[in-house]
Amino acid sequence: MAAESTPDPGIPGDTGTNGARHRGKGRRRKPQKRHKGLMIMAGTAAGIVVLGGVGAGFVYFKLNGNLKSVDIDQALGTDRPEKADNGSENILVLGSDTRAGGNKELGGGTDDGSARSDTAMIVHVYKGHKKASVVSIPRDTLIDRPSCTDTKGTEHPAAHSVMFNSAYSTGGAACAVKTVESITDLRMDHYLEVDFAGFQTLIDDLGGVEITTTKSIDDPESHLKLKAGTHTLDGRQALGLVRTRHGVGDGSDLGRIQLQQAFIKALVNQFKDVGVFSNPKKLLDLAETATKTVTADSDLGSVNKLASFANGLKGIKPSSMDMVTMPVAYDPADPNRVLLQEKKADQIWKALANDRPIPASATKGTATGEAKGVVSGS
């Protein structure tokens, strides 16, 4: 697929080409007893906030004041899947681009204050909090978006055959959560959003992330140029890597997702080796950046709550993380869009609802983006 000759499919609200398709549809909530990114940056940010050894009260209040939170529960009300009773948790993690302030240059758009979610992942933490499954949702997936009410109380009507990331650009966090719950019939217990400008600063504060590329990457649009080999990426390069689509694979969003998943594992693997907790100044710098970077649901909207949440995830290692992409197929009517493979996706949602591993059959034969294995942690 010649990606450079086609428009960027990441424009929120763009519905693609009309035509009959199989799409992700909302489902009626059935009372059940067992219902349960960026990416790891949200978890990393939460981990950095563990500041018990620093102690100074003014530091706590300053960091607490940095955190932003949204009341998802109040906005969505009770018409939601029931919480799981098996000890597992589901967290929706979004990487957002607000098109304002520090993100204006990074997003390549105008400073109009608009927002979109370029990255979306469902993180399922299994009972015991020793392993997790991460399901990436392609932003270009055509879905039927349910009606929703945002956190300001504004109602937004349902929409047919629109891109998944239009949920966030239309109604923010609440509509994104409701859309994911509609597709999966899984309760999102928490919400974490990572700002791209803060992501770049956070990587710089960490001292970079080491990765190995098996192929050269050259993408002027994401400002990334890497030869095949081992590199320590600074913040701008890391942001370019998780956002590039034309420099590797088939130029689709699916290829970018594979790069993001590889970067997450590299980041988790290296975080323990950067000397954060033996260097109080680095810890404070990271905590300052992290608390400005993350927006959480109101249940996690304080330093203490976020730190407690992160502490419960510290036993999860890269080898215990299963990372997949929601099963999709390219839309025959528009190669810049993808369609949900509902039967395969249902295997994933049922496995997570029952706190079981995702079966290999759920992702076999689905569209991949052809970028697997290009990037790995060193």
Side-chain angles (χ1 to χ4, degrees):
M1 181 169 64
E4 286 78 0
S5 63
T6 57
D8 182 358
I11 306 301
D14 188 346
T15 61
T17 306
N18 292 329
R21 308 175 179 92
H22 298 291
R23 304 176 179 92
K25 298 180 180 179
R27 306 169 185 164
R28 295 182 63 186
R29 276 54 171 192
K30 298 179 181 180
Q32 298 184 24
K33 293 183 178 180
R34 297 197 297 176
H35 276 289
K36 181 157 166 108
L38 164 61
M39 321 81 81
I40 197 61
M41 287 310 302
T44 300
I48 292 167
V49 173
V50 183
L51 292 171
V54 178
F58 77 92
V59 173
Y60 168 83
F61 286 112
K62 181 177 182 181
L63 296 179
N64 213 49
N66 289 343
L67 281 171
K68 299 180 290 293
S69 64
V70 290
D71 194 340
I72 300 294
D73 289 341
Q74 181 177 3
L76 298 187
T78 59
D79 183 22
R80 304 176 64 187
E82 292 192 12
K83 288 180 177 289
D85 61 359
N86 53 25
S88 65
E89 287 187 301
N90 295 310
I91 305 103
L92 177 62
V93 180
L94 295 185
S96 69
D97 183 350
T98 62
R99 291 297 191 269
N103 277 335
K104 177 183 178 182
E105 179 183 356
L106 302 177
T110 58
D111 190 5
D112 60 3
S114 63
R116 72 183 187 188
S117 59
D118 276 354
T119 302
M121 295 182 175
I122 299 169
V123 180
H124 178 84
V125 181
Y126 290 90
K127 179 181 179 180
H129 290 201
K130 298 297 182 182
K131 58 182 180 178
S133 284
V134 180
V135 184
S136 296
I137 303 177
R139 71 179 192 180
D140 301 337
T141 308
L142 294 178
I143 54 127
D144 290 341
R145 191 181 70 226
S147 60
C148 62
T149 302
D150 62 30
T151 54
K152 296 180 181 178
T154 302
E155 296 183 1
H156 301 276
H160 178 65
S161 187
V162 294
M163 284 170 55
F164 168 78
N165 72 341
S166 71
Y168 180 86
S169 60
T170 298
C175 287
V177 170
K178 184 161 186 179
T179 298
V180 170
E181 292 184 344
S182 174
I183 293 171
T184 66
D185 206 22
L186 296 170
R187 175 70 167 250
M188 295 298 109
D189 299 288
H190 294 297
Y191 171 84
L192 289 170
E193 179 182 326
V194 180
D195 172 80
F196 275 138
F199 170 88
Q200 176 173 319
T201 303
L202 197 53
I203 295 298
D204 284 334
D205 287 348
L206 280 167
V209 175
E210 189 174 277
I211 58 98
T212 297
T213 60
T214 59
K215 297 180 181 179
S216 296
I217 300 175
D218 188 356
D219 183 5
E221 292 191 25
S222 63
H223 311 291
L224 181 67
K225 187 172 184 178
L226 298 172
K227 293 182 179 180
T230 299
H231 310 272
T232 299
L233 304 185
D234 62 19
R236 176 171 284 275
Q237 290 173 314
L239 183 60
L241 180 69
V242 300
R243 302 192 70 187
T244 188
R245 63 187 301 152
H246 302 299
V248 78
D250 63 5
S252 70
D253 188 45
L254 301 177
R256 169 166 51 192
I257 285 173
Q258 291 183 331
L259 296 182
Q260 291 171 350
Q261 292 174 346
F263 180 82
I264 290 168
K265 287 200 170 184
L267 178 61
V268 175
N269 195 45
Q270 292 170 214
F271 181 71
K272 63 181 182 296
D273 298 324
V274 298
V276 171
F277 296 106
S278 62
N279 186 331
K281 183 182 184 304
K282 175 175 280 192
L283 177 61
L284 284 173
D285 288 344
L286 286 166
E288 176 78 1
T289 301
T291 50
K292 289 179 178 179
T293 299
V294 172
T295 299
D297 65 272
S298 54
D299 285 345
L300 298 178
S302 73
V303 168
N304 279 345
K305 291 179 180 179
L306 198 57
S308 177
F309 173 74
N311 191 54
L313 304 181
K314 66 181 181 181
I316 300 174
K317 301 177 181 178
S319 60
S320 301
M321 294 173 62
D322 180 23
M323 307 190 77
V324 303
T325 300
M326 186 176 74
V328 294
Y330 292 111
D331 183 355
D334 184 350
N336 291 312
R337 303 290 179 260
V338 294
L339 307 174
L340 178 64
Q341 292 187 303
E342 293 188 23
K343 289 184 178 179
K344 288 183 175 289
D346 282 345
Q347 294 182 50
I348 295 179
W349 315 140
K350 289 177 181 177
L352 299 187
N354 292 288
D355 206 35
R356 295 197 306 263
I358 294 172
S361 58
T363 55
K364 185 177 181 179
T366 61
T368 63
E370 302 175 15
K372 189 174 181 63
V374 174
V375 171
S376 63
S378 300

